[in-house]
Amino acid sequence: MARVIVIGATGHVGTYLVPRLVEAGHEVIAISRGQAEPYRPHRAWQSVDRRQMDREALEKAGTFGKEILALKGEIVIDMICFTPESATQLVEALAGHVSHFLHTGTIWTHGFSAVVPTPEEAPKKPFGEYGLQKAQIETYLLEMARVERFPVTLIHPGHIVGPGWNPLNPAGHFNPAVFSILARGERLALPNFGLETVHHVHADDVAGVFMSAIANWNASVGESFHAVSEKALTLRGYAEAMAAWFGREPKLEFLPYERWAETQAPDEAQATWEHIARSPNCSMEKARRLLGFAPRYTSLQAVQEGVEWLIASGRVKL
């Protein structure tokens, strides 16, 4: 088994990934900026070496990569890299010193979809700062794998959901009040015809893709993989299914996006635009074929587990 460093270990995916690594027999060093606890407790954390590092400050000092190198990890998993400069500093420090480097990307690197379900190798047309920078990181890392034989694997999650945080809702933003509206059988307005798509994934399924990539080194190095549920949801289908889950008949109305946005908080309307403008619908065939991985959760199962937590915590009112 290996010595594994997880950067951003107490986040959504790390909450599930770190215990999986420990249970598989790995020695785990968990890096986080502060003292945040994972979203759910697990006895495995008792055997984890937890370290605090301020990545932003260390990168400004030019020492973050050296600090990670000094921990002598055989496998490094980076959950929180968002700029090409950040990726370059870490990779240049680790090149020649690790057996596997795994990077967390995003399905937003695709931008607009031309074919759905979208495969990993589809031509990419990212837009927006986040999508563009993550796409640049992917290009750099895959080039390092091809030219320098850097042992990198990229995992691209969809909309990550699970207990402990607000799921992306059927209106395309994160206000849990939308679930309360559906739970009470009230009328919910959706943009356009509600036919744009969102593609969720349970955080534990993302962790599962990482574990499968580690277990299948030969197949995963130099490759990118989606981490999503088997099927995306339309906003309309998502709203109807959640209303039925609450035991209600859906009461939906549809407005052109511009008119719909006038009825929403500006930040929520913008969040919806960011999601429906991309309308992701990604394929999991490559992970199944090369890694033998299939998601355990459907989109609705993953969301419903998160909503159960919202109900228990009083954030969704029945």
Side-chain angles (χ1 to χ4, degrees):
M1 294 296 102
R3 182 176 171 90
V4 184
I5 299 169
V6 183
I7 304 169
T10 57
H12 297 154
V13 176
T15 291
Y16 294 88
L17 177 59
V18 168
R20 278 176 170 260
L21 289 165
V22 172
E23 291 177 342
H26 296 292
E27 176 188 359
V28 180
I29 301 175
I31 308 296
S32 57
R33 183 177 59 184
Q35 296 181 333
E37 292 299 313
Y39 284 87
R40 55 182 293 182
H42 195 288
R43 65 183 181 276
W45 287 91
Q46 297 173 8
S47 61
V48 173
D49 181 357
R50 298 182 65 173
R51 308 283 186 97
Q52 287 181 250
M53 289 188 186
D54 186 332
R55 181 174 191 162
E56 184 176 351
L58 291 171
E59 285 182 343
K60 287 181 179 178
T63 61
F64 181 69
K66 297 174 184 177
E67 294 276 355
I68 296 299
L69 176 63
L71 296 174
K72 301 184 183 302
E74 299 163 75
I75 299 172
V76 174
I77 301 173
D78 191 355
M79 311 296 295
I80 52 169
C81 179
F82 304 109
T83 68
E85 295 77 16
S86 181
T88 300
Q89 183 180 134
L90 185 57
V91 169
E92 288 182 348
L94 297 179
H97 299 284
V98 294
S99 62
H100 204 175
F101 179 81
L102 298 99
H103 170 85
T104 306
T106 171
I107 59 173
W108 279 21
T109 57
H110 285 293
F112 299 110
S113 299
V115 175
V116 293
T118 304
E120 287 86 345
E121 64 272 16
K124 296 194 171 185
K125 301 176 181 178
F127 59 92
E129 182 179 8
Y130 178 65
L132 287 167
Q133 294 207 98
K134 294 294 268 186
Q136 290 168 17
I137 293 170
E138 179 177 28
T139 298
Y140 165 70
L141 291 175
L142 293 180
E143 183 71 3
M144 287 295 292
R146 186 181 68 84
V147 176
E148 304 292 340
R149 297 186 180 277
F150 185 67
V152 64
T153 300
L154 293 98
I155 309 297
H156 294 302
H159 312 310
I160 301 171
V161 290
W165 62 97
N166 295 336
L168 181 68
N169 64 43
H173 55 70
F174 296 94
N175 188 338
V178 168
F179 294 110
S180 297
I181 290 170
L182 292 168
R184 294 193 296 262
E186 297 171 0
R187 187 169 300 278
L188 176 67
L190 297 178
N192 301 326
F193 294 105
L195 298 181
E196 290 92 346
T197 56
V198 288
H199 210 159
H200 297 85
V201 61
H202 195 287
D204 190 45
D205 275 333
V206 182
V209 180
F210 276 96
M211 295 300 295
S212 296
I214 291 170
N216 294 275
W217 187 92
N218 287 328
S220 69
V221 165
E223 300 288 348
S224 296
F225 296 93
H226 293 149
V228 291
S229 70
E230 290 284 10
K231 296 179 181 179
L233 294 168
T234 64
L235 298 185
R236 179 176 192 146
Y238 182 11
E240 290 174 344
M242 289 305 298
W245 186 68
F246 286 118
R248 300 288 188 176
E249 286 292 326
K251 296 179 182 178
L252 305 178
E253 62 179 335
F254 304 93
L255 298 170
Y257 173 79
E258 290 76 12
R259 285 181 54 198
W260 175 86
E262 293 173 356
T263 69
Q264 309 295 309
D267 60 332
E268 292 170 2
Q270 180 62 30
T272 296
W273 184 90
E274 295 286 353
H275 288 97
I276 68 175
R278 293 169 174 86
S279 286
N281 180 352
C282 294
S283 170
M284 284 299 291
E285 175 57 30
K286 184 176 179 180
R288 183 182 297 105
R289 175 169 46 87
L290 296 185
L291 306 180
F293 177 84
R296 185 161 66 95
Y297 289 84
T298 67
S299 286
L300 285 171
Q301 288 169 342
V303 168
Q304 287 161 0
E305 188 174 298
V307 173
E308 286 174 345
W309 176 84
L310 290 175
I311 294 169
S313 62
R315 301 188 187 193
V316 166
K317 308 294 185 181
L318 302 182

